[in-house]
Amino acid sequence: MHQPDRVMLREVAPRDGLQNEPPVPTGDKIRLIDALSRTGLSRIEAVSFVSPKAVPQMADAAEVWAAVEKHSGISYSALAPNRKGVERALDAGFTAVEVVVSASETHNRANIGRSVAESLAELPDICALARERLASVEVIIATSFGCPFEGDIAPAQVARIVAAAEAAGAGRVAFGDTTGMGTPRRVTDLLDAVQAGTDLPMLMHFHDTRGTALANLLTALDRGVVEFDASVGGIGGCPFAPGASGNVATEEVVHMLHDMGVETGVDLDALIRTAGLAQEIVGRPLESGVLRAGPRTSLSPRP
Amino acid sequence: MHQPDRVMLREVAPRDGLQNEPPVPTGDKIRLIDALSRTGLSRIEAVSFVSPKAVPQMADAAEVWAAVEKHSGISYSALAPNRKGVERALDAGFTAVEVVVSASETHNRANIGRSVAESLAELPDICALARERLASVEVIIATSFGCPFEGDIAPAQVARIVAAAEAAGAGRVAFGDTTGMGTPRRVTDLLDAVQAGTDLPMLMHFHDTRGTALANLLTALDRGVVEFDASVGGIGGCPFAPGASGNVATEEVVHMLHDMGVETGVDLDALIRTAGLAQEIVGRPLESGVLRAGPRTSLSPRP
């Protein structure tokens, strides 16, 4: 199997993680982002600019962003569902924004209240606006590996969105396994459908809902993907299965990659301490195995 | 990546799972084994013959075995730590026994109270005894991917035990990731060290303590391994990390393999129902994602 020398991780706990947990105080969000900024991570998804009615967890996005430490080596990003959100993100000073659209028509309507075609129609304008403000745009394609309402999603449908994103002027595409329906076979099928058709950098976002996150990541590595999302402590549940895992834990990704000799730039011990902070903030035991059991190098006293 | 058409799974919840949970009634063990026998699994590790003082969970092994349904298409096996346990297993009527020895000296002493050399010295006699009784012997090499006391285990040390098992007349070797220290790199390193030196069939036994179980399994598949252990519901904790996962859940393995087009012979729905029974028996919420969230094909009502 092919493996790269280095992988780029984006930490999504402050946004994707906390958006799927009961609301936490603004100060805790700032503490979490600041702690993450000191672990060696090079990208952090900090907040989203969404309707505070629909997503009260992110109502203080501008306040959080104004208060956090900005480290020069880190690219901080904000997610938005539409042009209005992107404007708010740019106004707040972000130079990297993510726009989300679902590969599934049903999920896009449930998630952001409009059709896929309406989402795609707005992309050229969003990209032009960002370009004026010297910001980059990533298009996140949710439900890329399956939709909780529609089931399997044809890879060709995902490829059409990639083509639309590229034509609009986006700088990167991300494939979201929104409810953990991905398997190595789905990763392979998706890459077969999209890799030849675009020059855009690609990122994959896996959930560990059904235990496959690291197997999926390994499959993607073998196919040349070197950018991944992950959430410290694995925070952020699965929206359609109460109690089930959501995002793959960043420390589980780093732990595996480092043992394989793949660099991430992250200090694993500092990251595990930050997972402990995340656990304290959300106030429930987290599911990350590396948080609970420690890394494989953490030995027991000899009997 | 290479993938086979078919994989052989051995279910270990009745033995390895229940041995690492608080004791449950004999009747529940019988119900669990009988339910597993109806899922399409072709191998089940039913009980172990160990000291009832050291392992009270298995004190009723002969009674359990006498009472369960014996399906003609299923190979039922018993684990033993030594010649005495093997004799008891053969006397109880088993025709497949597993003898466990650790690759780690410290772990072997902690687990079965003697040196690795002492364990290996008994193997030829055990194999001869089994042969007389027309039974097969598998040697399970615990801590093959790392030891919780000693840390990394040299693959050459595991290879020496494989050679001793083959010379003694064993019919199969199994590599146990006893405390979930395995990663794809450790699987590759181990197979590099052992694959060329033996003709014995090989089985791998992964724990999901640090999230790597299915990534490890995928790596082993790519290298031609087609036999794996798993435990329904993921029952059986990690002995050195209270609250952390132990054995990989059988339904997570089957769920991923079937979506990849790899046959197992198992009825996934029946297996998930049996994971629910296992959860009822051990009386705590289990960690299996496929049990909690359902398979990827289990959709939500459209909004």
Side-chain angles (χ1 to χ4, degrees), chain A residues 1 3 106 110 145-153 180-186 188 208-212 214-216 218-220 222 238 240-245 252 255-256 258-261 287-290 292-303, chain B residues 1 3 106 110 145-153 180-186 188 208-212 214-216 218-220 222 238 240-245 252 255-256 258-261 287-290 292-303:
Chain A
M1 277 190 277
Q3 68 176 59
T106 313
F145 304 91
C147 166
F149 308 118
E150 296 187 10
D152 293 342
I153 293 293
M181 293 173 68
T183 67
R185 175 260 182 102
R186 304 288 159 182
T188 301
D208 204 25
T209 317
R210 294 169 179 89
T212 57
L214 294 183
N216 293 343
L218 201 65
T219 305
D222 185 52
C238 174
F240 299 98
S245 317
E252 289 196 350
H255 176 263
M256 182 179 88
H258 285 191
D259 194 56
M260 293 167 65
E287 310 234 336
S288 156
V290 171
R292 292 191 293 182
R296 64 185 297 288
T297 51
S298 152
L299 303 184
S300 300
R302 294 192 184 216
Chain B
M1 280 190 276
Q3 69 177 58
T106 312
F145 304 91
C147 167
F149 308 118
E150 295 186 9
D152 293 342
I153 293 293
M181 292 173 68
T183 67
R185 174 260 182 105
R186 303 289 160 182
T188 301
D208 204 26
T209 317
R210 295 169 178 89
T212 57
L214 294 183
N216 293 342
L218 201 65
T219 305
D222 185 51
C238 175
F240 299 97
S245 317
E252 289 195 352
H255 177 263
M256 182 179 88
H258 285 191
D259 195 55
M260 293 168 66
E287 311 233 335
S288 157
V290 171
R292 291 192 291 184
R296 65 185 297 288
T297 49
S298 152
L299 304 183
S300 300
R302 295 191 183 216

Side-chain angles (χ1 to χ4, degrees), chain B residues 78-102:
Chain B
L79 178 136
N82 51 33
R83 189 187 198 284
K84 189 179 159 196
V86 170
E87 273 183 19
R88 287 171 61 203
L90 296 171
D91 289 347
F94 279 95
T95 56
V97 296
E98 301 146 19
V99 184
V100 64
V101 55
S102 299

